[in-house]
Amino acid sequence: MERAVRYSKKREAILAAIQGTRCHPSAEWVYKQLKPQHPDLSLGTVYRNLVFFQQRGLIQSVGVIQGQERFDAALAPHSHFVCNCCGAVLDLPDIAPDSALDQTVSRQYELTVQRHELTFYGLCPSCSDPQQYLKEETSS
Amino acid sequence: MERAVRYSKKREAILAAIQGTRCHPSAEWVYKQLKPQHPDLSLGTVYRNLVFFQQRGLIQSVGVIQGQERFDAALAPHSHFVCNCCGAVLDLPDIAPDSALDQTVSRQYELTVQRHELTFYGLCPSCSDPQQYLKEETSS
DNA sequence: ATGACTGCAAAGACTTTGCATCTTT
DNA sequence: AAAGATGCAAAGTCTTTGCAGTCAT
């Protein structure tokens, strides 16, 4: 017998938070985002739901960046850019991975390739701007 | 004044261990590998030297896989395959990232791109073999 | 002798999990 | 009422770090 799934207001809010941002959030980001509207939300619930959504393919991990796992609401195939300075993750919608490559690699190396990822690393506009250090703090 | 660097037998052994394997080791792997020959080696020393080698470009992080950061002795540009089952990391020497892509992305998105990585995910030969479950345990 | 390197253990950061309680059906 | 979902806090894993002792120069 399969395990039943029940509605939960917090689960809904967690998924909406991830789908509603482009920042590829971490568990903590989701938690802080929702805490004001859901004062009794706990981090454990966020983590449990992240696993839940991943298992159902609603979200995907983008990897661990600066110590925290980051997530993406899975949509069209695309690549990512990661800022080595602030850890920001940006979508590169025009840089789509070539799925034919999977087959090439599968054959050439006798592996079962399921997918591949193309990730760029560097500095985001804000971190590569030398003037940033002269500006006032605008975020904490 | 720059900080001097001194010789250390353990540092040498740690680098040699990483350069001498294709397994893209974690800190713990290096530690366990060297412990028999260096009974007084500590994990802290391994971690400190991993940082040391990274800062000097002798090794590179391949990312965090199943909770552990994995490293690679940096050589020719190549791609990686990661087994979603056992976490094995394989080099794909023939799948070289196209460095021209960095410039393309830099211009198109106004980012400072330093490098990119192409990583394939799937099952390694051993994990995709259905008979593996019938075999005796050969490793712990 | 100086100061870099290390062992050890404590501390940190992130994530998972057990259990009692609350919710959904 | 049954069973899934959550809050809370403890536990777990991996990594970093402070300090005193050791070693290279």
Side-chain angles (χ1 to χ4, degrees):
Chain A
M1 179 62 186
E2 269 181 27
R3 172 192 169 99
V5 172
R6 293 189 179 167
Y7 172 82
S8 139
K9 185 176 291 187
K10 285 162 189 166
R11 173 171 292 163
E12 183 177 46
I14 291 167
L15 184 56
I18 300 170
Q19 293 178 331
T21 181
R22 292 185 181 180
C23 80
H24 306 79
S26 63
E28 198 191 344
W29 185 95
V30 172
Y31 175 74
K32 286 185 176 170
Q33 182 77 9
L34 298 179
K35 191 68 173 173
Q37 309 299 325
H38 303 264
D40 62 344
L41 177 66
S42 84
L43 248 184
T45 294
V46 174
Y47 278 107
R48 275 188 282 236
N49 276 291
L50 289 172
V51 171
F52 178 94
F53 295 139
Q54 279 186 95
Q55 289 173 339
R56 285 162 181 75
L58 297 172
I59 66 172
Q60 232 181 291
S61 171
V62 181
V64 177
I65 295 165
Q66 296 181 352
Q68 297 189 155
E69 185 153 25
R70 304 281 288 270
F71 298 90
D72 194 359
L75 287 170
H78 61 276
S79 299
H80 292 113
F81 172 86
V82 176
C83 177
N84 284 325
C85 174
C86 68
V89 178
L90 306 176
D91 285 324
L92 305 179
D94 297 335
I95 312 293
D98 172 13
S99 61
L101 248 186
D102 290 343
Q103 300 231 1
T104 304
V105 173
S106 278
R107 289 186 195 123
Q108 186 168 350
Y109 293 93
E110 298 193 54
L111 299 165
T112 306
V113 176
Q114 296 166 340
R115 54 181 246 280
H116 71 266
E117 277 178 11
L118 188 52
T119 307
F120 296 78
Y121 296 87
L123 297 175
C124 72
S126 143
C127 286
S128 60
D129 175 5
Q131 300 204 321
Q132 69 169 311
Y133 302 109
L134 305 174
K135 293 174 185 169
E136 253 184 292
E137 283 292 331
T138 53
S139 60
S140 56
Chain B
M1 181 59 187
E2 269 181 30
R3 173 195 169 100
V5 172
R6 292 191 179 166
Y7 172 81
S8 140
K9 184 176 292 188
K10 285 163 189 166
R11 172 172 292 160
E12 184 177 46
I14 291 168
L15 184 57
I18 301 170
Q19 292 177 332
T21 181
R22 292 184 180 180
C23 80
H24 305 80
S26 63
E28 197 191 344
W29 185 96
V30 172
Y31 175 73
K32 287 185 176 171
Q33 181 77 9
L34 299 179
K35 191 68 173 174
Q37 308 300 326
H38 303 264
D40 62 344
L41 177 66
S42 84
L43 248 183
T45 294
V46 174
Y47 278 108
R48 275 187 283 234
N49 276 292
L50 289 172
V51 171
F52 178 94
F53 295 139
Q54 279 187 95
Q55 289 174 340
R56 284 159 182 76
L58 297 173
I59 66 172
Q60 231 180 297
S61 171
V62 181
V64 177
I65 295 165
Q66 296 181 352
Q68 298 190 153
E69 184 152 27
R70 304 280 290 270
F71 299 89
D72 194 358
L75 287 172
H78 61 276
S79 299
H80 292 113
F81 172 85
V82 176
C83 178
N84 285 326
C85 175
C86 68
V89 178
L90 306 176
D91 285 325
L92 305 180
D94 297 334
I95 312 293
D98 172 13
S99 60
L101 248 185
D102 289 345
Q103 299 230 2
T104 305
V105 173
S106 278
R107 290 186 194 122
Q108 187 169 349
Y109 292 94
E110 298 192 53
L111 299 165
T112 306
V113 176
Q114 296 166 341
R115 58 180 245 278
H116 71 266
E117 277 179 11
L118 186 52
T119 307
F120 296 78
Y121 297 87
L123 297 176
C124 72
S126 142
C127 286
S128 60
D129 175 4
Q131 299 204 321
Q132 69 168 311
Y133 301 110
L134 304 176
K135 293 174 186 168
E136 257 184 289
E137 283 290 331
T138 55
S139 60
S140 57

